Amino acid sequence: MKQRAFVLAAVFAVWGACLHVSAAAAADHTANAAAGMNSQRDIVLAVANPIEPPATHAGSSLLGYAPTGYYGAGQRAVSTLNELKQSYGLHEVAGWPIKALGVYCVVLETPPGMVRDDVLKQLAKDRRVQLAQPLQDYAVYADATPAPSTQQYNDPYVNLQRGFVETDAAMAQRMSQGQGVHIAVVDTGADLTHPDLQGRIHDTHNMVDDDASAFDRDHHGTEVAGVIAADADNHKGIVGIAPKAVLSVYKACWYAPSSGGAHCNSFTLAKALAAVIDTDARIVNLSLGGPADPLLDKLLAQLLEQGRIVVAALPPDGSLGGFPDNAPGVIVVRTSETSTAPPNVVSAPGKDILTTQPGGGYDFTSGSSMAAAHVSGIAALLLAVAPKLDAASMREVLLRNSKMSGGMLQVNAAAAVAALREKQASP
């Protein structure tokens, strides 16, 4: 009897190991497939993915032998997906578990000759389906081509930083430098070897592919990271708004060979947001946007419910209603150079912003992406002073302490930090 139990346990252990090998292989397949997904053709579908807790007795279910922390595709999810793919003639492009929602999410390719909207209508009526929607495209909000380049710090380019100077960041940093505040940057990759970013980026996560060199060559994420947290007093380059903050970079967007700007999709962004949910990041910078999306909206709602400060860039056309600017609680940021803005939208410098570039360089760039990065940095300064500050209070502090600069109303880091410190000191 003991020998039989030993054999069964060994078999289950081997099967469990196979599950993990398959999960790792699936993750690699997902990463490689992201850039090849087609937003005109593909579907995002989610099915329930309950995972039973590990059992403590022999003869339990196969998944009961999965090590602690494992969350992949459960037997129910696998069976349901196989049935759906067979029923509707769909081909799986990639799949990924979303633990926060208790689902397994896949990108499916509609077969030739079938209209995607018709398939989605059928899937919406299928009780086995938790969510079915089009795969959608998103873009970062920065100029594709950088604009031409025309104390208390030893960083040589600090006086050329419009945003840093106009928001009085140097004065704010006498009171706070964002010490220890954790910021998740969901964007493209970033240059981890840049002299102004070394030590500022704590960890990275590639949700698009497994090309490390492409990660380091990505412009947009490098630019955003530099605005937020470039190192100070290192005799190099520029100074970030919050130079003592800690960054986690989640690559969910990539540069297509035929396009000058970076793009993302529902699937890669969902993977990134789901990963952020499992961290202690207090600020989430989303310098990107696109259409409203049910899956992304669910994940964003969880982040907001957890008390995260989510900072988003206003779309170039100035409209609200898409992802991520449509969610109540998100701090939406426009460039202060814009003439008009919807109510409660924060204004920050976004034109001709000097920041870090791949390969250890620096250049000027523009867009609401950079404006949002300034606000994420200021948010870190404020959280270092008042760690329990919520999103509504954060927006109020930013708006109430905005100042005119060059004829434009925009956030002021020094005024906001000083006001918050005064409030904290009051009995």
Side-chain angles (χ1 to χ4, degrees):
M1 187 70 178
K2 290 182 179 179
Q3 183 178 6
R4 182 183 177 190
F6 174 79
V7 171
L8 283 172
V11 169
F12 283 132
V14 171
W15 283 354
C18 289
L19 269 178
H20 280 275
V21 171
S22 298
D28 288 342
H29 171 66
T30 297
N32 291 327
M37 294 176 186
N38 187 333
S39 63
Q40 303 301 313
R41 174 202 67 200
D42 295 342
I43 289 171
V44 177
L45 182 141
V47 297
N49 188 34
I51 301 293
E52 296 296 328
T56 57
H57 59 278
S60 59
S61 68
L62 176 60
L63 288 173
Y65 287 88
T68 303
Y70 170 73
Y71 189 79
Q75 289 177 325
R76 175 180 166 184
V78 170
S79 298
T80 303
L81 284 171
N82 286 337
E83 292 170 2
L84 289 168
K85 286 186 285 187
Q86 187 173 1
S87 299
Y88 295 92
L90 301 168
H91 169 69
E92 183 174 338
V93 179
W96 197 261
I98 300 181
K99 186 177 181 180
L101 300 181
V103 299
Y104 193 82
C105 187
V106 292
V107 174
L108 300 169
E109 179 182 335
T110 52
M114 293 188 69
V115 179
R116 183 172 66 172
D117 287 348
D118 294 341
V119 178
L120 285 170
K121 289 178 182 178
Q122 295 177 47
L123 289 169
K125 300 175 184 178
D126 197 311
R127 294 186 177 181
R128 296 168 293 181
V129 175
Q130 297 281 313
L131 176 146
Q133 64 173 72
L135 178 75
Q136 301 187 116
D137 279 333
Y138 295 82
V140 300
Y141 294 149
D143 291 350
T145 305
S149 59
T150 46
Q151 127 184 49
Q152 70 192 65
Y153 301 94
N154 58 36
D155 307 82
Y157 304 148
V158 65
N159 290 330
L160 298 176
Q161 294 179 252
R162 274 195 63 241
F164 190 87
V165 173
E166 291 181 6
T167 61
D168 293 328
M171 187 181 299
Q173 288 182 11
R174 296 174 186 171
M175 299 174 279
S176 172
Q177 294 193 8
Q179 295 88 336
V181 176
H182 186 184
I183 304 174
V185 177
V186 179
D187 211 284
T188 68
D191 183 2
L192 308 183
T193 64
H194 196 291
D196 251 341
L197 296 178
Q198 288 181 348
R200 303 271 48 85
I201 299 177
H202 179 266
D203 54 279
T204 61
H205 310 267
N206 194 335
M207 307 304 183
V208 173
D209 53 42
D210 52 8
D211 188 344
S213 62
F215 193 103
D216 288 341
R217 294 195 306 269
D218 286 350
H219 284 265
H220 194 267
T222 305
E223 294 164 354
V224 168
V227 171
I228 296 174
D231 210 356
D233 280 330
N234 62 347
H235 296 277
K236 297 180 177 71
I238 64 171
V239 182
I241 298 293
K244 297 299 183 184
V246 178
L247 302 184
S248 295
V249 177
Y250 296 81
K251 178 172 180 173
C253 310
W254 66 95
Y255 290 91
S258 59
S259 174
H263 295 271
C264 339
N265 65 34
S266 307
F267 194 66
T268 55
L269 287 170
K271 288 168 62 181
L273 295 180
V276 175
I277 285 172
D278 289 332
T279 73
D280 64 353
R282 286 288 281 115
I283 300 169
V284 184
N285 187 90
L286 295 169
S287 289
L288 51 86
D293 184 283
L295 176 60
L296 298 181
D297 288 346
K298 288 176 182 289
L299 291 166
L300 185 57
Q302 285 220 5
L303 285 166
L304 293 168
E305 287 171 9
Q306 292 174 344
R308 319 289 180 134
I309 308 296
V310 179
V311 180
L314 183 72
D317 63 4
S319 64
L320 297 174
F323 171 86
D325 55 75
N326 62 338
V330 171
I331 298 176
V332 182
V333 188
R334 66 162 186 164
T335 63
S336 51
E337 297 79 13
T338 307
S339 58
T340 58
N344 293 321
V345 169
V346 176
S347 300
K351 183 178 180 182
D352 296 340
I353 302 301
L354 181 63
T355 186
T356 46
Q357 297 291 337
Y362 303 85
D363 209 336
F364 293 85
T365 190
S366 301
S368 59
S369 284
M370 302 305 117
H374 281 89
V375 170
S376 287
I378 297 173
L381 301 182
L382 295 170
L383 284 179
V385 173
K388 295 183 179 180
L389 198 65
D390 59 28
S393 300
M394 177 77 72
R395 180 191 286 107
E396 182 183 0
V397 170
L398 291 169
L399 289 172
R400 181 174 295 179
N401 294 283
S402 292
K403 291 187 174 183
M404 297 298 293
S405 178
M408 297 170 290
L409 184 68
Q410 58 190 13
V411 291
N412 187 280
V417 173
L420 188 59
R421 279 167 55 95
E422 184 178 348
K423 184 176 181 180
Q424 292 287 102
S426 300

